[in-house]
Amino acid sequence: QEPAQEQEPAQEQEPAQEQATRKKQEPAQDPAVKQKAAEIQGVPSRAVPTPAKPMVPDETEWREFVEPVKEATFPAETGRYRLYASYACPGSHRALIVRALKGLEDCVPVTFVHPVWRLTEKGTDREQRGWVFGNPDGDEFSNTAGKGGPFPPAYPGNEPDPVLGAFSLRELYDHAKDTSGKYTVPM
């Protein structure tokens, strides 16, 4: 019985020790503290969850609907539309899912932009990073920060723009006279 009495006090202290250890391991609730803790531990800051914000799309010139009536502003017709997308864009992924669910694969072709941004209108006051089309005859390149790569000039399914022969998605927006300044996919 004496050894059993010695074990009881040790068992009573164990939960207190576990509780202290648990407090040290619990993540902080403040996002700024979480971010700093993650940086100290070597975790990339993007891996730290932040409070969710509602997604509110910016107003653009592209707010019309394709409708299955001939009198519509944008009537549904095979060959009339093309979807521009990127494998690196979640919004494009959603557009591709909707295209598939609606059974539009045969009537709305897709052109994929290169998944690595490049400089558009290089050397001008309009220079910016953006989506570009594949160029099977082009040279390998690094990203716009000069890091990573070399990346191939095109990937399977990432062909040159078949409509205007544009270098970048920005050129398509310029052609449509869209001055919103956001040259993005899906388009």
Side-chain angles (χ1 to χ4, degrees), residues 32-115:
V33 174
K34 283 183 180 181
Q35 176 114 7
K36 189 64 178 171
E39 289 171 6
I40 291 170
Q41 295 171 3
V43 176
S45 60
R46 66 182 180 276
V48 178
T50 56
K53 295 179 185 175
M55 184 180 145
V56 179
D58 294 331
E59 284 300 317
T60 68
E61 296 180 25
W62 308 99
R63 291 283 175 201
E64 300 291 334
F65 295 94
V66 175
E67 298 175 294
V69 292
K70 289 188 178 191
E71 300 80 31
T73 305
F74 296 103
E77 296 174 0
T78 299
R80 182 179 172 123
Y81 305 101
R82 173 170 293 276
L83 174 62
Y84 290 92
S86 170
Y87 289 122
C89 172
S92 291
H93 187 239
R94 288 188 293 272
L96 291 166
I97 290 171
V98 170
R99 176 178 164 261
L101 291 174
K102 297 227 176 226
L104 299 173
E105 289 117 331
D106 291 336
C107 62
V108 179
V110 179
T111 298
F112 290 97
V113 293
H114 200 285

